[in-house]
Amino acid sequence: MIRNLDTALIRTFVTVADKASMTAAANALHLTQGAVSQQIKRLEEVLGCSLFERDRRGLRLTRSGERLVGKGKRLLGLNDEIWTEMAGNAVAGEVRLGVPYDLVGTLLAPVLKVYAETYPQVEISLVCASSPELAAALAAGTIDLAVIEERVGASAGECLAIDRLVWVGARGGVARLKRPLPVSMVADTCAFRPAVLSALNEHGLEWRTVFENGNIDATMATVRSDLAVTTWLASTVPADLDILAADGELPALPNFSINLHLPKHGVGPAAQEFARYIRDGLARRAVAA
């Protein structure tokens, strides 16, 4: 039987060991403290032993943890060395990444930071637009790869994650009770728009659009001020806003996939590495969830 150790879990373990703190490690890894704790728990389950224990002085390694930390650092060093040797020299130039408005500052922010730090010689051009617009740009060759939100189902892209599409409103707000229902969308080309409007129409609910001019900050402002409700993927909802339950007042919404799309004509080394970082970043987030 072949046994594999997830390098993402090992990297989290080594970071916690170096920082001697779950909180400090979470900040360094751009994860929540709960996510770091879950990754450590997952690694302990895989290895069948405890790696940390707490005492009055705080967090410290167990004997098993002490044995693992040195080997873990060597494993990560070898992993990074292989990538640098095999791909590093070839990774240069420019890469144009297309990302939906709602994902660039949430799920993909840590990925962008780590990639830019690892390959400073790559010039990154970021294109933010709605998913349909990004698909068109990829087909036209004006971007090199794209992360696209699509209804769950058949897709030409690679599924990285599936998330719930949810209603979002101001804390304690009343916009959800207004009729016609005020709805704020980032853009009239938003990938969620057809599904949302179809659900509203099937529910027999009158609605009106408040904003859809391609600015996510303006959309958040309308929701925070309780002028409207909106819809986002559950993992991207800001902490100061409420996820509204789908009930008799608001219809249920379908799940959406976050898919990675690459051009049919081939991908350069910089874009290939970017795709790998995006896969690894979202896989790490899924492990932590």
Side-chain angles (χ1 to χ4, degrees):
M1 179 178 66
I2 298 175
R3 296 179 179 178
N4 295 314
L5 282 176
D6 189 327
T7 54
L9 298 183
I10 295 294
R11 195 175 298 277
T12 299
F13 162 72
V14 168
T15 304
V16 174
D18 286 344
K19 303 290 186 182
S21 164
M22 293 282 186
T23 302
N27 291 335
L29 295 167
H30 306 286
L31 296 171
T32 65
Q33 184 174 339
V36 170
S37 297
Q38 285 297 316
Q39 290 197 23
I40 295 300
K41 180 180 178 182
R42 187 76 59 87
L43 183 59
E44 289 177 331
E45 290 174 349
V46 169
L47 297 175
C49 62
S50 296
L51 300 173
F52 293 99
E53 59 185 24
R54 292 186 179 275
D55 58 22
R56 293 180 179 178
R57 292 173 293 180
L59 196 68
R60 67 184 183 88
L61 291 165
T62 62
R63 288 187 178 182
S64 296
E66 290 173 349
R67 291 198 302 270
L68 178 61
V69 71
K71 293 182 174 64
K73 288 181 178 180
R74 291 201 297 273
L75 174 64
L76 293 176
L78 180 60
N79 179 77
D80 294 343
E81 181 183 332
I82 290 171
W83 278 110
T84 299
E85 181 177 330
M86 301 302 294
N89 293 334
V91 180
E94 181 184 6
V95 60
R96 301 163 298 178
L97 172 66
V99 186
Y101 301 103
D102 57 321
L103 298 185
V104 66
T106 53
L107 298 185
L108 291 176
V111 176
L112 294 170
K113 182 176 186 298
V114 173
Y115 182 88
E117 290 174 347
T118 305
Y119 299 111
Q121 68 274 33
V122 175
E123 296 181 4
I124 301 171
S125 296
L126 195 61
V127 177
C128 290
S130 67
S131 289
E133 290 170 327
L134 293 174
L138 189 68
T142 57
I143 56 178
D144 301 306
L145 69 164
V147 177
I148 292 178
E149 297 159 325
E150 300 173 285
R151 286 280 296 263
V152 172
S155 170
E158 172 188 348
C159 182
L160 301 176
I162 294 176
D163 204 351
R164 295 181 298 133
L165 185 63
V166 296
W167 293 100
V168 180
R171 287 280 173 88
V174 298
R176 65 173 296 169
L177 303 176
K178 296 177 181 178
R179 297 296 180 269
L181 180 72
V183 180
S184 183
M185 307 288 268
V186 175
D188 59 3
T189 56
C190 174
F192 305 148
R193 194 177 192 273
V196 171
L197 299 189
S198 175
L200 289 171
N201 291 334
E202 289 177 7
H203 202 67
L205 194 60
E206 286 187 89
W207 55 271
R208 66 183 180 88
T209 56
V210 173
F211 180 86
E212 46 184 16
N213 289 325
N215 187 311
I216 195 166
D217 290 331
T219 297
M220 285 194 287
T222 63
V223 176
R224 287 194 171 104
S225 57
D226 201 25
L227 294 177
V229 297
T230 191
T231 56
W232 280 319
L233 297 181
S235 61
T236 68
V237 176
D240 63 323
L241 297 178
D242 276 347
I243 293 179
L244 308 176
D247 50 23
E249 297 170 354
L250 294 174
L253 299 171
N255 290 343
F256 270 71
S257 296
I258 299 173
N259 296 331
L260 177 63
H261 285 252
L262 303 175
K264 296 179 180 179
H265 54 74
V267 184
Q272 287 178 346
E273 271 298 273
F274 220 148
R276 184 177 72 84
Y277 270 65
I278 292 169
R279 290 187 192 98
D280 290 350
L282 268 67
R284 176 184 291 184
R285 190 180 182 96
V287 167

